[in-house]
Amino acid sequence: MSRHESRLLVESGPFLRRELTTPGLMNEVTLALAPVILAAVWFFGIGALLIVIASVAGAVGTEWLFAPSRPRGASLRDGSAVLTGILLALTLPPAVPLWMAFVGGAVGVGLGKTVFGGLGQNLFNPALVGRAFLQAAFPTAMTTWSEPTGAGGLLSIRASNLALPLMSGTVDAVSTATPLGAMKFEHAETPISLLLRGDTAGSLGETSAIIIIVCGLVLALRGTFDWRIPLAMLLSVAVLAAVPWWIKPEAFPSPWFMLTSGGLLFGAVYMATDPVTSPTAPLGAWVFGLGIGLIVVLIRLWGGLAEGVMYAILLMNSAAPLIEQATQPRGFGRGRWAG
Amino acid sequence: MADSKSSQQIYDEFVKGVWKENPVFVQVLGMCPMLAVTNTAINALAMGGATLFVLLGSSVLVSLLRRFIPKQVRISTYILIIATFVTIVDFSLNAMAPVIHKELGAFIALIVVNCLILGRQEAFASRQPVHLAAADALGMGGGFTIALFCLGATREVLGFGELFGVPLFGEHFEPWVIMIMPPGGFIMLGLILLLLNWAQQRRGSRAATQAAGEQVSAHDALPIAPAHDSGHIEEVV
């Protein structure tokens, strides 16, 4: 029993390492959002960029002011506040006043994250908390959708964007229906080519399906997020939407319309995959994604709202700890029911 | 000498309710009217005033009768006394300010079961002389009214863009609809508590911070739970 048995090298785990840090992860997602931001600017004009900046300013400012890190602002380095700001901005309608985007960013980080104790402690996706607050506080501004300006209006800024703080946007902002709204209230299905390209009314970042799919594939292949969650979400929406459509195609939207319209893809790729607010176990990820898909279909087909991705993700966020607990993988050598 | 000592005591009991043991901000009592009727400043003031009156009346009466109330039926006796004053407030408000009475609705009648009032009877008025009971009631009622007003005023400013019905921001104001709904009450109360706790921490008094923490964390205890009196209560209950 020599203590110097040098042939046997004893090392402690982990033996497989991945050069992945929190800032690295956040920056990767932020980078993957760049094409989406560019698409938003392309379709809705430079005003989209201003909304992103306002929302990021609100999020970063709140993080700097309220996060209990020492020295002040140290927690900004993980990049999550910037990401929250961008994510929130991309879920806002193009005509939203800039000050509302700022308030949304501040509320998202303040009430969605720092009150719980900072990144990793929050129960709900901070960007969606900000959006849910805005939706409840300013229902009119948050449901005033405008047509894409197209290439000619690249430099255009909507007048209502520039409303003074606490004031409402100009009333003459022309409102139009999103593809989901048109489906729900006028029963008009937008052609799939438009939905894929993104030349439709909607939130800034959600319109162009093809860009989100490409970015999502890249992120999934790089292992930035758990691919099971978006896959489960999209699969469950496709299957659950296919059944009523197959039975009564004239009354229900087609599954591919359900998949490519609204915020489903954006939510699946960027929101539901938030590592803090989703289950980590593989089985849990499947359950989580299926649950979101189920709620989305229920709200869209039978609910009062045209779109339900935000509430679906927030609801499943609240169930995530429970799912996590119930789906912990069995430790090696443990009995099936022993826990 | 004795006189100045007793007036100091009265002052202490008063300040205790307004600030140090503020029923809303420190003890977190009376949440039902706090969240339900504070969507405008005037409603908040009316509710605070009504509660103050009921609290003062019943505290004085309970203190006067404290030697005659049998221990076994004291809670029901307190409720009867409180209900008497609530009925007075209910009818007088209905006669004098029917608009406000309509706005407050059932919440006037619900003052009967406001845990703040019953808590003060049980914890203070039933074991203290009249003048201290009155000071305590004025302090607690005043503190409650101040808290209600803070919440009501901020919610009215954000939710309607008005204060006491006077528009503040002109016609283009975008109301924060959430602020006049119940969630807005929760959010605003949470923010105010956050601000006060932060201010208290800033003052650096370690003992004060600790006490506030204990009292705040005791908020979901039953009606009768003002922290510094809880020792007596446990003996009795």
Side-chain angles (χ1 to χ4, degrees), chain A residues 35-50 52 90 149-151 153-156 204:
Chain A
V36 184
I37 299 176
L38 285 180
V41 172
W42 176 259
F43 288 123
F44 298 107
I46 201 79
L49 199 61
L50 293 183
V52 173
L90 291 176
T149 41
L154 205 57
L155 287 178
S156 77
L204 289 175

Side-chain angles (χ1 to χ4, degrees), chain B residues 128-184:
Chain B
Q128 301 285 351
V130 177
H131 64 284
L132 288 186
D136 174 75
L138 281 175
M140 287 289 165
F144 189 68
T145 311
I146 291 171
L148 248 64
F149 176 73
C150 288
L151 201 65
T154 38
R155 284 178 73 188
E156 187 180 355
V157 166
L158 285 178
F160 294 107
E162 299 173 343
L163 191 58
F164 291 113
V166 180
L168 297 177
F169 300 107
E171 54 179 323
H172 289 301
F173 178 76
E174 172 87 20
W176 301 40
V177 179
I178 192 173
M179 281 304 160
I180 49 179
M181 301 190 300

